[in-house]
Amino acid sequence: MHICETISATRQAILQARQAGKKIGFVPTMGALHAGHAILMRRAKTECDYVVVSIFVNPTQFGPNEDFARYPRTFEADQALCAAVGVDVIFYPTPELMYPKGYQTFVEVTEITKPLCGASRPGHFRGVATVVTKLFNIVMPDVAYFGQKDAQQCRVIQQMVADLNMPIQIEIVETVREPDGLAMSSRNRYLNPLQRHHATILYRTLVWVKEQIAAGQRNAHELEKQMALRIEQTPEARLDYAKILDYETFSPVETIEKKVLVALAVFFDQTRLIDNFLIDV
Ligand code: PAF
């Protein structure tokens, strides 16, 4: 496994694979890898001949009062997981390499970044779209893998790839969960035992909404109200949003008639967790 800290070394390693006719799979990450990342990497390993993982805590996608400084950095453990899965290259740049002095170019996806995390975290998706574009330009993968837990990020990347004619196949991989339903996230490690206990409210609320829809409930506003109530009644939890949106347009729905995204963001102290279900009636 190559660990590449420069763009030229990364390109060089991948070029050899590409020239040998290998299909390049790419898993962009911010490190602090967990079982969810392992599933993405294994998917890439199964479907591609050569797998590249990037590990980069991207400063431009964090707001000024967010957790950039304390975001977990666990490179040694990450490296061991990548090696165990059989990753070929880890691209491990510094912020200075990715955003050198004088850097001034950003990528912005407009409409679908407005609600949900885009509303709560201004500038977040601009940072994500920018860094993913840069990573795509460096790695030039055939296929890139993202987790469904970040549903809005997935839609943003799909939109960006389509709009900017990037010749990359985007694969969305189902959310991986702890046995009690909590979606795997690098941020789960911030939770103290009591918060961790109550954090299953996200999954339990999504399951409840799914059951309500299956039983015939179609009133999205009523469901959103009930979702918010469930979160507000949970000790330690503070609601950021509870929304039901049209999955294609990310616009609000009144009556649930087609594929919807049911999405939640909840704070436990400073830790913000997100989760979602895609429900097709
Ligand atoms: O999902 C993440 O870990 C990040 O948003 C990504 C896609 C690696 C961009 O920094």
Side-chain angles (χ1 to χ4, degrees):
M1 182 172 73
H2 301 277
I3 296 170
C4 300
E5 296 186 8
T6 66
I7 293 167
S8 57
T10 309
R11 286 198 168 130
Q12 189 56 36
I14 299 168
L15 182 66
Q16 285 172 10
R18 189 173 295 110
Q19 281 173 342
K22 293 187 176 172
K23 182 173 173 182
I24 316 291
F26 178 41
V27 183
T29 81
M30 297 205 300
L33 302 181
H34 50 67
H37 293 112
I39 299 265
L40 297 181
M41 299 191 291
R42 287 204 188 93
R43 257 288 287 280
K45 194 74 196 156
T46 312
E47 297 176 356
C48 304
D49 308 307
Y50 197 81
V51 175
V52 182
V53 170
S54 62
I55 296 180
F56 178 59
V57 186
N58 172 37
T60 64
Q61 70 188 74
F62 289 81
N65 298 317
E66 294 185 350
D67 56 345
F68 173 69
R70 74 164 182 149
Y71 196 85
R73 287 153 171 93
T74 58
F75 187 67
E76 275 182 23
D78 294 348
Q79 199 180 323
L81 181 63
C82 290
V85 173
V87 166
D88 297 284
V89 171
I90 299 179
F91 176 47
Y92 184 49
T94 58
E96 293 71 32
L97 184 72
M98 293 298 275
Y99 301 106
K101 202 164 174 285
Y103 187 89
Q104 50 185 297
T105 304
F106 291 87
V107 179
E108 205 156 329
V109 178
T110 56
E111 293 310 307
I112 53 171
T113 60
K114 285 182 181 157
L116 306 181
C117 295
S120 306
R121 305 183 66 189
H124 170 67
F125 287 117
R126 181 181 191 248
V128 169
T130 301
V131 80
V132 171
T133 300
K134 287 172 68 67
L135 292 167
F136 282 177
N137 283 337
I138 294 163
V139 174
M140 293 197 286
D142 296 293
V143 192
Y145 296 83
F146 295 86
Q148 175 63 35
K149 183 180 75 72
D150 301 307
Q152 192 173 15
Q153 170 170 284
C154 292
R155 279 289 286 113
V156 169
I157 307 277
Q158 286 171 321
Q159 187 73 40
M160 178 185 86
V161 163
D163 289 350
L164 298 183
N165 312 101
M166 295 176 173
I168 299 167
Q169 183 186 331
I170 302 299
E171 287 295 326
I172 310 298
V173 180
E174 213 178 299
T175 303
V176 182
R177 299 181 180 281
E178 301 282 358
D180 63 4
L182 179 67
M184 298 252 179
S185 164
S186 303
R187 291 187 167 98
N188 290 351
R189 64 187 80 195
Y190 297 147
L191 300 170
N192 67 32
L194 189 63
Q195 293 168 339
R196 171 64 187 82
H197 173 74
H198 290 302
T200 56
I201 190 62
L202 283 88
Y203 176 70
R204 287 185 283 119
T205 300
L206 294 169
V207 170
W208 178 83
V209 171
K210 192 175 173 181
E211 287 166 358
Q212 294 296 305
I213 295 175
Q217 172 62 280
R218 294 290 178 269
N219 184 330
H221 291 315
E222 185 53 33
L223 285 172
E224 286 175 347
K225 236 169 42 194
Q226 294 299 326
M227 288 164 74
L229 201 65
R230 292 171 77 93
I231 304 299
E232 281 153 10
Q233 287 171 345
T234 303
E236 305 273 322
R238 182 164 48 88
L239 182 70
D240 180 356
Y241 62 70
K243 294 277 182 216
I244 301 182
L245 300 180
D246 180 297
Y247 180 63
E248 288 311 314
T249 59
F250 272 53
S251 53
V253 291
E254 279 181 20
T255 308
I256 300 169
E257 287 168 330
K258 48 183 183 168
K259 201 173 193 174
V260 288
L261 178 75
V262 184
L264 274 173
V266 178
F267 281 100
F268 289 85
D269 198 4
Q270 300 299 306
T271 305
R272 185 174 173 279
L273 302 182
I274 57 172
D275 200 353
N276 67 83
F277 274 9
L278 272 181
I279 300 177
D280 204 352
V281 290

